[in-house]
Amino acid sequence: MTQILSGLPAAARELLLRTDWESLQHAYGSGEDIPVSLCSLVDEDPETRSEALAALDMGVLHQGSLYTVTAPAALFVAAILDHPTGLAEHEGHFPWHDGPPRSLRAALLVWLGQVAESAAYGEDPVRDRTDWQWEPWHDETRREHDPDELAALHACRAIRPTLYDAVEPFLSSPDPHVREAALGAATPLLFAPELTDRVPQAAALLRTRLGLTEGRRERASVARALSVWGMDTSDLLADSDPAVRVCAALGPTHADRPRALAALLDALRDPRTTDGWFPEPLPGLDGWFRFTVLRAALTLAESFEEVAPVAIAIVAAGGTSVTDHERGPILLRAFAGGYGPTHPLTPAQRNLLRAFVDIDEAAGGLAGNALWFRAAGLPPNREGIAALL
């Protein structure tokens, strides 16, 4: 431990020594054990490093939850990003960490990106609704923070400028895995209101990278970042690669809205191909890619009628495993503001409800969407919907 401490950057060593770790909490209790885990991130033994990173995943950021220990731990990680051990190959600790080989630096950047995503959630309701896991009842539960949760959230938001300063240099790394991980961290970090003035510089840097790479994955990641930052990606909507075009359309607002919406709807007409574009999800995106594309289309559409043909086809296709991530959001968009019995159903609403009624329950009909039906102000059963028709 003494050897590790002596080799740490001054900022990391000072943070480690001045923080009252015992007064902080992680998912499993007191943060007094976290300094050992943090120092172990730069241990010579790869298994020890892997276990230390697993401790960050499981305790400091458990399932995306922020704790009072999260902010100082993230500052420490940011301070060691350029440590020589960062070049060492990282071995995943859990069976599901079986992706392509990457450096410890890339793994640490991925973790910082996850911290940034959790910190950004709840700041912008419109942006949150484009998250493929968003559900209408999330907004209510997010407001119910206890004092420690609020303290952790505010602390993690407050350190975003420091984290971004540490991440930005790696956007130009010669290692493509590090570049990707750095972009995955920079994207949610630049959602911070106090970092708005840094977006144009980051966007210019990414534009330069676009001219140097032909790979789909990196070009698509750059297009997505530019789009969700609110930059004009109209030129990328004409890209020769459909995956790049779609990623350029993922922002909740768009300078060329009709063309962006058309790109998203085209991708949803062929979901199998769309899901195959990124066998490993892009940074910041989990689940099937079509889930993200659908949420973006529903957000970008000015009316349900604009997306109705594609949306109704998705509902009619059935499939029990994607109930909440496809049909539920479609239903809520069709009845934005809730169903009102004093207003007659539009043809598009009627066709959508008929598609739900016609689906066999074994294929994911009304029963699997009860919470979404209630959220839309509709009866959550076949008989009630049939009565409306």
Side-chain angles (χ1 to χ4, degrees):
M1 182 63 71
T2 301
Q3 181 180 355
I4 288 176
L5 282 172
S6 64
L8 289 175
R13 187 166 58 250
E14 181 182 352
L15 177 74
L16 199 68
L17 297 175
R18 75 165 187 257
T19 302
D20 182 7
W21 298 98
E22 292 184 10
S23 69
L24 305 176
Q25 296 287 315
H26 54 64
Y28 302 107
S30 170
E32 60 185 337
D33 58 336
I34 294 303
V36 173
S37 294
L38 294 177
C39 288
S40 297
L41 289 170
V42 293
D43 194 278
E44 293 181 355
D45 178 50
E47 186 174 343
T48 299
R49 294 195 303 268
S50 180
E51 290 175 353
L53 190 56
L56 293 186
D57 285 338
M58 296 299 292
V60 180
L61 190 69
H62 182 66
Q63 296 182 351
S65 296
L66 302 174
Y67 303 90
T68 52
V69 80
T70 308
L75 287 173
F76 181 93
V77 169
I80 64 168
L81 283 176
D82 58 357
H83 192 281
T85 309
L87 297 173
E89 186 171 301
H90 168 64
E91 296 181 6
H93 183 73
F94 300 107
W96 53 86
H97 290 167
D98 58 353
R102 59 180 179 174
S103 66
L104 174 66
R105 180 171 296 149
L108 293 175
L109 284 163
V110 168
W111 186 80
L112 288 176
Q114 293 167 346
V115 171
E117 289 167 9
S118 293
Y121 199 90
E123 282 185 312
D124 184 341
V126 175
R127 185 178 66 231
D128 289 346
R129 283 173 171 78
T130 63
D131 186 312
W132 68 274
Q133 297 182 89
W134 178 86
E135 295 170 330
W137 42 94
H138 280 182
D139 288 347
E140 294 301 322
T141 58
R142 284 277 175 171
R143 297 190 187 103
E144 300 171 0
H145 292 292
D146 66 26
D148 282 348
E149 289 176 335
L150 280 174
L153 177 62
H154 293 321
C156 288
R157 288 179 176 175
I159 64 171
R160 288 181 292 189
T162 302
L163 298 185
Y164 182 72
D165 286 341
V167 166
E168 186 184 50
F170 298 104
L171 291 173
S172 302
S173 170
D175 183 335
H177 296 299
V178 170
R179 282 201 309 274
E180 176 176 301
L183 180 54
T187 300
L189 284 171
L190 288 181
F191 290 155
E194 65 271 27
L195 289 175
T196 301
D197 62 337
R198 305 287 295 273
V199 172
Q201 179 181 337
L205 177 63
L206 296 186
R207 287 283 187 178
T208 300
R209 293 250 26 118
L210 275 177
L212 300 175
T213 181
E214 297 181 358
R216 161 178 280 180
R217 186 175 180 86
E218 185 165 3
R219 289 178 56 78
S221 295
V222 169
R224 173 182 174 258
L226 295 173
S227 184
V228 299
W229 287 339
M231 305 302 290
D232 185 0
T233 56
S234 300
D235 60 320
L236 295 176
L237 293 175
D239 196 272
S240 60
D241 189 330
V244 175
R245 295 198 298 269
V246 167
C247 285
L250 290 179
T253 59
H254 215 281
D256 192 349
R257 194 192 68 83
R259 202 150 55 116
L261 183 59
L264 296 171
L265 293 178
D266 282 346
L268 292 171
R269 290 187 181 96
D270 187 8
R272 187 181 296 274
T273 296
T274 299
D275 283 338
W277 286 340
F278 308 112
E280 181 186 355
L282 295 179
L285 299 179
D286 295 315
W288 293 110
F289 186 55
R290 70 179 185 274
F291 297 162
T292 294
V293 176
L294 175 62
R295 295 296 180 108
L298 296 176
T299 301
L300 200 56
E302 292 182 346
S303 68
F304 179 65
E305 282 68 21
E306 282 191 305
V307 296
V310 171
I312 292 170
I314 291 172
V315 171
T320 57
S321 64
V322 293
T323 295
D324 288 339
H325 304 314
E326 292 185 299
R327 290 187 295 279
I330 288 170
L331 183 72
L332 199 65
R333 182 63 186 87
F335 292 90
Y339 166 70
T342 59
H343 298 288
L345 295 174
T346 67
Q349 290 173 332
R350 189 176 297 277
N351 289 338
L352 176 66
L353 293 181
R354 188 170 291 114
F356 273 103
V357 171
D358 290 345
I359 297 173
D360 181 77
E361 287 303 322
L366 273 68
N369 293 269
L371 290 175
W372 288 95
F373 272 86
R374 291 192 180 97
L378 291 160
N381 54 68
R382 184 181 297 270
E383 294 75 18
I385 295 301
L388 296 180
L389 298 174

